[in-house]
Amino acid sequence: MIGRLNHVAIAVPDLKAAAATYRDALGAKVSAPQELPEHGVTVCFVNLPNTKIELLEPLGKASPVAKFMQDNASGGIHHVCYEVDDIIAARDRLLAQGARIIGDGTPKIGAHGLPVLFLHPKDFCGTLVELEQRSA
Amino acid sequence: MIGRLNHVAIAVPDLKAAAATYRDALGAKVSAPQELPEHGVTVCFVNLPNTKIELLEPLGKASPVAKFMQDNASGGIHHVCYEVDDIIAARDRLLAQGARIIGDGTPKIGAHGLPVLFLHPKDFCGTLVELEQRSA
């Protein structure tokens, strides 16, 4: 069912500093910051040859990343995102197996303009898993 | 400097259960377990089209993952591994910039039989970063 690893998300307290670390110390290509108010984050993408690292900083007081940053003040790996061919079919298969989807089960539009869902860490090895509809 | 994301490592309390989650619930291809006593872990690889997920379970009492498992009993994302063309040049560049390498700076041989080094999380957005020499 899951296909490519679309990205690994790393939550950071200071996006500008994190982007500089990846660009200057690790010599990677980093995109300009992009505010995603509906997700409560500002993101930069580190473009690697085979996938991306999403650096994200909380945006606004209701950011879903705020609690994570309280527990991980220096930052940390926040989630992994896998691509699926059909996000509705993937959701229904997982629900039928008893897995928990975060929220009401309706996909939101993610950073790439495609539908996304988040799966509960307790069902997936303690890791937050995002599923993203593969682009056509 | 950094190239492909070689893998994302997820530490788990029960490798067999984690492999089953990725195989059965997420429909991915998972390799047989491989003991790496010199690294204190047993690993399975989830083979995705563009990269791998390394599921790892502590092996032995001196496992470097033991402390992480104490703090993350259900598991969690442990590190990311980036490929570099020349691990000695990468190390020397990072040391010259003031970054900290874990251990004495001598690469060990990793799960793929290639030299690896680990960088200090405090210098890299709170995340443990492994560098692996790219295979020729």
Side-chain angles (χ1 to χ4, degrees):
Chain A
M1 184 173 76
I2 57 171
R4 295 175 75 256
L5 176 77
N6 185 277
H7 63 266
V8 180
I10 300 177
V12 299
D14 180 341
L15 190 60
K16 206 170 165 182
T21 295
Y22 269 82
R23 191 182 55 234
D24 303 334
L26 293 173
K29 285 184 190 158
V30 183
S31 74
Q34 179 186 358
E35 291 194 357
L36 300 174
E38 69 280 25
H39 290 273
V41 291
T42 305
V43 302
C44 284
F45 287 100
V46 178
N47 291 299
L48 302 178
N50 60 333
T51 189
K52 294 185 291 281
I53 306 297
E54 180 184 72
L55 301 173
L56 51 85
E57 183 187 275
L59 174 66
K61 290 196 174 170
S63 173
V65 188
K67 168 77 169 64
F68 181 88
M69 292 310 302
Q70 276 172 24
D71 297 341
N72 301 273
S74 319
I77 306 175
H78 185 262
H79 67 265
V80 287
C81 175
Y82 302 123
E83 296 178 5
V84 291
D85 282 340
D86 181 336
I87 200 161
I88 300 300
R91 175 196 67 187
D92 291 349
R93 169 178 162 159
L94 289 165
L95 286 173
Q97 290 169 343
R100 286 162 286 184
I101 311 289
I102 292 177
D104 67 3
T106 309
K108 284 191 182 182
I109 298 302
H112 307 105
L114 294 163
V116 300
L117 282 172
F118 284 89
L119 312 183
H120 200 295
K122 289 209 173 156
D123 296 327
F124 296 93
C125 313
T127 68
L128 181 60
V129 172
E130 181 179 14
L131 297 182
E132 181 175 297
Q133 170 86 45
R134 193 165 67 85
S135 61
Chain B
M1 183 174 76
I2 56 170
R4 295 176 73 256
L5 177 77
N6 186 277
H7 63 266
V8 179
I10 299 178
V12 300
D14 180 340
L15 190 60
K16 208 169 165 182
T21 296
Y22 268 82
R23 191 182 55 235
D24 303 333
L26 293 174
K29 286 184 190 159
V30 183
S31 73
Q34 179 186 358
E35 291 194 358
L36 300 174
E38 69 280 27
H39 290 275
V41 291
T42 305
V43 302
C44 284
F45 287 100
V46 178
N47 291 298
L48 303 179
N50 60 332
T51 190
K52 295 186 290 282
I53 305 298
E54 181 184 69
L55 300 173
L56 52 85
E57 184 187 276
L59 174 67
K61 291 196 176 171
S63 173
V65 188
K67 168 77 170 63
F68 182 88
M69 293 310 301
Q70 276 172 23
D71 298 340
N72 302 273
S74 318
I77 305 174
H78 186 262
H79 67 265
V80 287
C81 175
Y82 302 123
E83 297 178 3
V84 291
D85 282 339
D86 180 336
I87 200 161
I88 300 301
R91 176 196 66 188
D92 292 347
R93 170 180 161 156
L94 289 165
L95 287 173
Q97 289 170 343
R100 285 163 285 185
I101 311 289
I102 291 176
D104 68 2
T106 308
K108 285 191 181 182
I109 298 302
H112 308 104
L114 294 163
V116 301
L117 283 173
F118 284 90
L119 313 182
H120 200 295
K122 290 210 172 155
D123 296 328
F124 295 93
C125 312
T127 68
L128 181 61
V129 173
E130 181 179 13
L131 297 182
E132 181 175 297
Q133 170 85 46
R134 193 166 66 86
S135 61

